Amino acid sequence: MVEKGRNINTPLTLDVVQQLKVGDLIIISGSIFTGRDAALPRLVKLIKKEDTPFKLEGAVIMHTAVSQAGISPTTSNKVEIEESIAPLSRAGVRIHLGKGALSPETIDDLNQYKSVFAVTPPAAALLTSKVISSEVVAFPEEGMEAIHKLEVRGVPGIVAVAQGESLY
């Protein structure tokens, strides 16, 4: 299958992120991190203490858990997740992958911290087929909601929020 879109490799530079526009199809390869309701607020607390367990500059975080069933995005506008987007962007996360509309305040935060939000299809089989390897990098006690570092090849997304504009 030939994938069309802009190929993006992690970690990302600001130049790459600032060229993205709403509606762009992106194909992400490299390392991405996962997190959702349980782990992302904990990661934000570590950022405030300047004690993060992995490098966030240029990172991609996907709003998902990792289980034997695979990966698939969760709703990004849940309070625990959406409230993590600004501090994670400020700390260097450049792309947040998930699903759903974000608030105007979060759109402003993404613009201010030079990050974007992309939606990805909630198709576990497709997304899981793009995972090369997985390892837990933070909060193992959270089980499938622990933060994982995934090595991926070809994770698709559509830029939904960029440069202060929103698809929604």
Side-chain angles (χ1 to χ4, degrees):
M1 178 171 126
V2 176
E3 294 171 335
K4 297 183 181 197
R6 182 176 178 149
N7 291 313
I8 293 181
N9 295 301
T10 65
L12 299 160
T13 64
L14 280 176
D15 287 345
V16 169
V17 175
Q18 290 180 315
Q19 291 174 23
L20 297 175
K21 304 281 184 262
V22 169
D24 285 352
L25 173 63
I26 55 175
I27 309 295
I28 302 170
S29 297
S31 297
I32 65 172
F33 297 96
T34 66
R36 47 178 291 166
D37 314 42
L40 291 177
R42 292 182 67 186
L43 182 58
V44 169
K45 286 180 183 176
L46 291 178
I47 290 169
K48 290 177 182 175
K49 294 179 183 179
E50 297 182 6
D51 188 26
T52 55
F54 50 90
K55 185 179 175 193
L56 291 169
E57 183 59 45
V60 173
I61 290 190
M62 184 176 190
H63 303 150
T64 188
V66 178
S67 72
Q68 290 183 349
I71 62 171
S72 189
T74 192
T75 303
S76 299
N77 61 9
K78 291 189 239 177
V79 171
E80 299 84 357
I81 295 174
E82 190 162 356
E83 285 183 353
S84 74
I85 292 175
L88 289 168
S89 296
R90 185 173 40 246
V93 172
R94 295 294 160 231
I95 296 178
H96 301 265
L97 281 175
K99 67 178 186 177
L102 299 176
S103 71
E105 295 80 18
T106 302
I107 293 168
D108 289 343
D109 291 337
L110 286 165
N111 188 42
Q112 177 182 351
Y113 300 120
K114 298 177 177 50
S115 297
V116 301
F117 174 67
V119 294
T120 191
L126 169 69
L127 295 172
T128 303
S129 74
K130 306 299 184 182
V131 177
I132 298 165
S133 66
S134 172
E135 74 173 293
V136 174
V137 294
F139 317 124
E141 65 278 7
E142 297 292 354
M144 69 180 198
E145 287 199 29
I147 295 182
H148 289 72
K149 178 181 180 183
L150 305 179
E151 291 298 322
V152 300
R153 184 171 303 125
V155 170
I158 298 171
V159 176
V161 175
Q163 320 313 329
E165 294 186 21
S166 174
L167 184 68
Y168 297 100

